[in-house]
Amino acid sequence: MDTWQTYADRLDAQMRAADAQLDELEAGARARDAQTEMDEISGLRERRDRVRQQVADARREAQDDSEVLRSRVDQDWSAFRRSVADAHNRYTDWDAARERRFYARLDQADAVVREEVAAEDELAARASARIAGARDELRDRAAEARRKYDAWRERQEDQVRRRALDDAALELEEASHRYASALADVQRGSQARGE
């Protein structure tokens, strides 16, 4: 999961986009001199301000229960966005410009998904290569340690072979640590991305 700060920044950006929609609705309502629409838009701005205040309060205070707060903000924000969309649908015609904006958003969403998939694939390939390299090194060090142990076993009194066996044991231990570290890094990365 992302941090509260990252979440709040993302929500602020979404609020700016909602502000643009509200401005568009308000301009249309003024042009039509539609007081009912203006009143509804004012109510939507008040709801937006309440969500904005929740986020501001959470930024000021250290929240022990940030998941509960995030859930409440998400619910309020989702309800607000749905209300804005409903108002937008009622008061805005589905014209060529709106259709172009819709398709532009779809294209943008598709591009973001493609970029993320590519980034995840690259990350997975790097992680896989790192783990495979550490695993191969561990396998090679284990085989070398086994050979040195067998050589030492034949002549236990041979100090050169004893030293080689000690070195092999240390190299095997280091390779095991590197393999465990590579796995732990990949797992931490997966947890950080919320997988």
Side-chain angles (χ1 to χ4, degrees), residues 19 50-51 57 61 70 74 78 101 108 113 123 135 168:
D19 285 341
R50 283 194 299 271
V51 173
D57 291 346
E61 302 170 9
R70 185 181 293 202
D74 280 343
S78 293
R101 284 192 306 270
Q108 182 182 22
V113 168
L123 182 63
R135 182 194 58 234

Side-chain angles (χ1 to χ4, degrees), residues 12-186:
D12 283 342
Q14 291 173 352
M15 282 186 200
R16 286 190 297 276
D19 285 341
Q21 266 190 317
L22 290 173
D23 291 344
E24 180 184 343
L25 288 172
E26 187 173 10
R30 279 194 183 136
R32 289 185 298 280
D33 198 26
Q35 187 59 44
T36 304
E37 290 177 35
M38 296 288 286
D39 293 343
E40 184 176 358
I41 293 165
S42 293
L44 290 171
R45 287 188 192 278
E46 289 172 12
R47 288 177 64 188
R48 184 240 13 241
D49 291 342
R50 283 194 299 271
V51 173
R52 189 171 275 155
Q53 187 61 48
Q54 286 177 329
V55 172
D57 291 346
R59 281 185 170 166
R60 275 195 308 274
E61 302 170 9
Q63 292 294 327
D64 294 332
D65 203 358
S66 63
E67 287 304 314
V68 170
L69 178 64
R70 185 181 293 202
S71 175
R72 189 175 69 234
V73 169
D74 280 343
Q75 287 173 355
D76 291 348
W77 179 245
S78 293
F80 166 75
R81 286 180 59 197
R82 173 55 41 211
S83 296
V84 169
D86 289 346
H88 195 265
N89 288 335
R90 277 195 314 276
Y91 303 131
T92 306
D93 290 332
W94 192 247
D95 59 6
R98 186 173 177 196
E99 188 174 348
R100 282 192 304 275
R101 284 192 306 270
F102 175 75
Y103 279 107
R105 282 190 199 115
L106 283 178
D107 291 343
Q108 182 182 22
D110 290 343
V112 166
V113 168
R114 282 192 304 274
E115 284 178 22
E116 287 300 315
V117 166
E120 288 172 10
D121 289 347
E122 181 182 343
L123 182 63
R126 274 195 246 136
S128 180
R130 182 171 180 211
I131 289 173
R135 182 194 58 234
D136 292 347
E137 179 190 13
L138 179 59
R139 183 193 61 230
D140 294 346
R141 295 291 181 217
E144 182 65 19
R146 205 169 269 112
R147 280 192 300 278
K148 290 182 179 179
Y149 175 78
D150 291 342
W152 171 79
R153 191 84 173 130
E154 291 175 11
R155 296 184 176 204
Q156 292 182 9
E157 66 281 347
D158 186 344
Q159 291 304 313
V160 172
R161 289 189 177 161
R162 171 70 188 253
R163 177 77 176 150
L165 178 60
D166 289 341
D167 289 346
L170 288 173
E171 290 170 358
L172 178 62
E173 185 176 339
E174 289 171 3
S176 293
H177 289 302
R178 280 191 291 276
Y179 179 71
S181 175
L183 284 176
D185 288 348
V186 169

Side-chain angles (χ1 to χ4, degrees), residues 2-22:
D2 53 0
T3 65
W4 176 258
Q5 183 63 39
T6 303
Y7 171 78
D9 291 346
R10 186 168 19 104
L11 201 57
D12 283 342
Q14 291 173 352
M15 282 186 200
R16 286 190 297 276
D19 285 341
Q21 266 190 317
L22 290 173

